[in-house]
Amino acid sequence: MISRKLLLVISLLLSFSFAALAQQDSIPLNTLIQKTAKFQSSYPIEKVYLHLDKPYYALGDTIWFKAYVTVEKHQPSGLSGVVYVDVINNQDSIMESLRLPVKNGFSNGNIILAGDTYKQGSYRIRAYTNWMRNFDSDYFYDRTINVGNAIDNQVNTFITYKSSNKKGTVKVDADILYKDPANNPYANKRVSWQLMRNGDALSKGSGRTDDKGHVIVDIPENDAATITSGSLVTGLDMGERKTVTNSFSLRAAITAYDVQFFPESGQLTNGIRSKIAFKAIDSKGLGVDVKGSIVDDQGTVMASLTTSHLGMGVFALTPETGKAYTANVTFPNGSQATYKLPRVQAMGINLAVFSPDTANLTVKISANELFLQRKQNKSFYLVAQSGGVVYYAAQTVLQNLVYTANIPKNKFPTGIVQLTLFSSGGYALCERVIFVQHNDALNLTLKTDKPSYTTRQGVKISVSAKNNTAPVVGSFSVAVLDDTSVPIDENAESTILSNLLLTSDLKGYIEKPNYYFNKPDQEKLDNLDILMLTQGYRRFSYEDILADKNPPIYIAPEQGIEVSGILRTNTGLPVGKASIRLLIPDRNYSAEAITDLSGNFKFSNVVVMDTSKITLSARNNVNSKNLVINVNGELYQKITKNPNQPDEIVNIDSAMRPYLDNSRKQYQNSRVLKEVVIKSTKFEKKPSHNDFGTFAGLPGQADHEISGDQLKDCPLLINCLSTMAFGLTYVDNNFYITRDYNAGKKIPVQVYVGSMPVDVNFLSTITGPEVASVEIFLKDGVSGINRMNQTNGVLIINKKVIKKERITRAQLEALIPKQNVVTFPIQGYNKAKEFYSPKYDINKNSAIGADLRNTIYWNPKIITDKNGVASFSFFNSDARGSYRAIIEGLDAEGNLGRQVMHFVVK
């Protein structure tokens, strides 16, 4: 397929003026094309998209999802057989990590938002394959979801901030409204508060709510970085020694704006009229409407600027060398600011792209006089690629100031196209990113069997999938939601179209990505082009490709779970041609592998469900007592900052109120036990640092503690602690106190298991179920631990107490680890649950209790037949009003489709 495209792109040349080359080109155009094609075939771009059943959730809900793993032109990927899905909290700790098998590019799973593990707040869902981990994690599937608490939340809050600058510091007042679930204010209640940063309380205070439930928190003056990186933790005194705690992010507490400017093709050049895009955002990272003017250094107004969409806009300017240009901008609150535009280049060439009609792109290459004088008769190349595949290439000789040419849009697929102008030496001079929209999505239709329905009535919906008019076999997922309890801004949705065609190829935050695909018109297409001017596209570097500088590959594509290692003698020599036996006791599974000459062994496609233990044995070899098995550890993906922080909701109680009200009714309706009487309580002492004299000088209470319940599903302690240890940073196989590490003090924490000091590597031998608790001390009190060990901070692992009982000699020998037999936990495949959809008989009395489902129906396995047809059926809930059915998916050729249909329940 690559060779066919090569022949195509080489034959496509722009209608520029072609003259005889004045000199031999240093890098021929076909060399550039061939190297790019070779790179693309060697390093295919794999993507993961998750279709979630809902846009937001409540505690106790289940997140249902289908994973679409694609490669090249969105075709189902055969490259990877495993996909990973992580749930990350807003403290950058992994709450849950799923490993799912991928079949023919598809997988499905679920995440239960258990109330004892999850709390109200914002979470990230991140998905990727092992192959994708070789490249920039900015291109992983990464989505922010907001989770409310409708189960036991007695206090609903709403917070607003007011900030002011004072002599280099910032003053913030927070107005917090407290109400009960019935929307009644908590009046005359005492509220205590703390400003927290990296686990430390920087300031604290208290106040009392007024008769309307408001309290004003007066945060002392501080520097902006301290406030915005912290959180406000409040406690509402409910009486009877009960306090309800709430935590509010201060990331957007300070009113601030910023504007950035993006000249088309990357620079302003003397005498060349250019489009300049701009983007204005607030402290949350969301676009804001601004207006203003562009003036030169003489105060002459050169252009006006006004936002077109979500803080973005564009204006034109013909810059001159020696002049400086400034933007005077007015923000929504009436404040003003000035910004300098990029410096004007005295010599240069620019690349501009226009879309005059639906069929063509117009490319305009403009050089100024100085550039033409110095580069006349030199060769230049124009290359256009999408998804790493070159679809268009052209070569010309510079003889005029301006070249224009039309390129048919049908040369490119739907999606982002990168046009780059090269010198003959292969140096990228300028670049322009555009979006080509063919409106060629699959024609999906959903049709109900009745014009309307009643509650609890059966519904049958037929599916038709066509590519233009031809029926297609495709794989789809469908969700049916109650519109009343799950209202949504369709423009803000993450869809298969907005993700695979747009956000998966761009770095940075894209606000309301589905706006550009939700009933597109000319205005939306124009705004999409402005978005292209403001976003960077850096999937790969032409400079590296031409220099044959390929990215290092650390992880091979993964077709299944792999267990590997090396067999050595106890003197360290590798043992070749030896037998290794793999056993999974709880599955009655065994397999055998033979080591190579270097002692390496590997078991491929090991089917392990959930968290199981694997045993490797080398006993069936000569002199087996002298053999040692070393297992290769699993790699865990590090956590990066949330690229979609602006999607986090601070006031979840109010923003998600219809959903949470419905979830609260659903929970109350489903409960059987209204009252629990505790007759007796047995106190069980938990292991802690107080059990050991070694820690006598430590504070009585740890700064942070991780309970054993939080670690019960952790396969390897070191991997879980690297993200769960609040206040600590895990870098280069050591733990550091975060605040000190960020300040440049890189002294590791002292780690103990019980009273025994250990190396951090020792934690890789411990599983979560073995641990009773983990205690973190940011200071060592008067113990002298840090002074003696040259460390900073103390991390104590308290293991569960093992009941003492007499054992036989044979049992004792069984407890002694044998180096030729290794047993270790491994993360297996997570088994996906089946979505439960109740069945009703409308002629009989239905089940007791109200049916208040939010997700009426979910099915990740809708497969159309050769006629492009499929169907599914379900029963309505007790909710009346509008229901919404959403179907997404793709066919074998990578054609994407999405459709939304509404129907009425009376």
Side-chain angles (χ1 to χ4, degrees), residues 87-217:
V87 183
I88 306 170
N89 65 17
N90 57 11
Q91 299 295 325
D92 291 335
S93 296
I94 292 182
M95 303 294 295
E96 202 166 343
S97 185
L98 279 64
R99 179 186 241 168
L100 299 169
V102 176
K103 185 175 181 181
N104 300 323
F106 308 105
S107 185
N108 65 282
N110 55 271
I111 300 164
I112 300 174
L113 298 172
D116 58 348
T117 302
Y118 291 88
K119 307 299 178 186
Q120 178 165 300
S122 299
Y123 296 86
R124 295 164 60 190
I125 296 183
R126 182 179 70 173
Y128 52 90
T129 66
N130 256 359
W131 175 250
M132 292 169 65
R133 293 167 68 184
N134 291 298
F135 312 103
D136 198 332
S137 62
D138 285 342
Y139 298 111
F140 290 0
Y141 175 87
D142 208 321
R143 178 175 175 181
T144 294
I145 61 166
N146 295 284
V147 178
N149 182 2
I151 298 175
D152 57 4
N153 187 19
Q154 294 179 280
V155 178
N156 292 337
T157 61
F158 185 87
I159 188 169
T160 57
Y161 299 108
K162 182 179 179 181
S163 64
S164 59
N165 294 316
K166 288 193 174 183
K167 296 180 181 179
T169 60
V170 179
K171 178 75 172 58
V172 173
D173 293 326
D175 183 346
I176 310 175
L177 173 62
Y178 292 94
K179 289 188 175 183
D180 65 16
N183 208 33
N184 300 312
Y186 279 111
N188 197 30
K189 294 286 187 180
R190 186 178 182 275
V191 177
S192 58
W193 61 268
Q194 295 183 88
L195 173 61
M196 304 292 295
R197 187 187 184 198
N198 294 329
D200 294 328
L202 303 182
S203 57
K204 59 182 65 177
S206 63
R208 191 168 289 275
T209 60
D210 61 19
D211 58 349
K212 295 182 179 179
H214 289 267
V215 66
I216 303 297
V217 175

Side-chain angles (χ1 to χ4, degrees), residues 577-590:
K577 303 299 181 181
S579 170
I580 301 291
R581 196 92 188 153
L582 181 147
L583 304 169
I584 306 178
D586 57 2
R587 289 191 60 249
N588 295 321
Y589 175 85
S590 66

Side-chain angles (χ1 to χ4, degrees), residues 70-96:
T70 67
V71 70
E72 202 177 317
K73 292 177 63 178
H74 317 305
Q75 296 164 328
S77 177
L79 192 62
S80 294
V82 180
V83 65
Y84 296 88
V85 179
D86 298 332
V87 183
I88 306 170
N89 65 17
N90 57 11
Q91 299 295 325
D92 291 335
S93 296
I94 292 182
M95 303 294 295
E96 202 166 343

Side-chain angles (χ1 to χ4, degrees), residues 520-533:
D521 53 24
Q522 189 57 49
E523 181 182 0
K524 291 183 177 181
L525 292 176
D526 293 341
N527 289 332
L528 179 55
D529 190 56
I530 297 174
L531 175 71
M532 294 295 98
L533 289 166

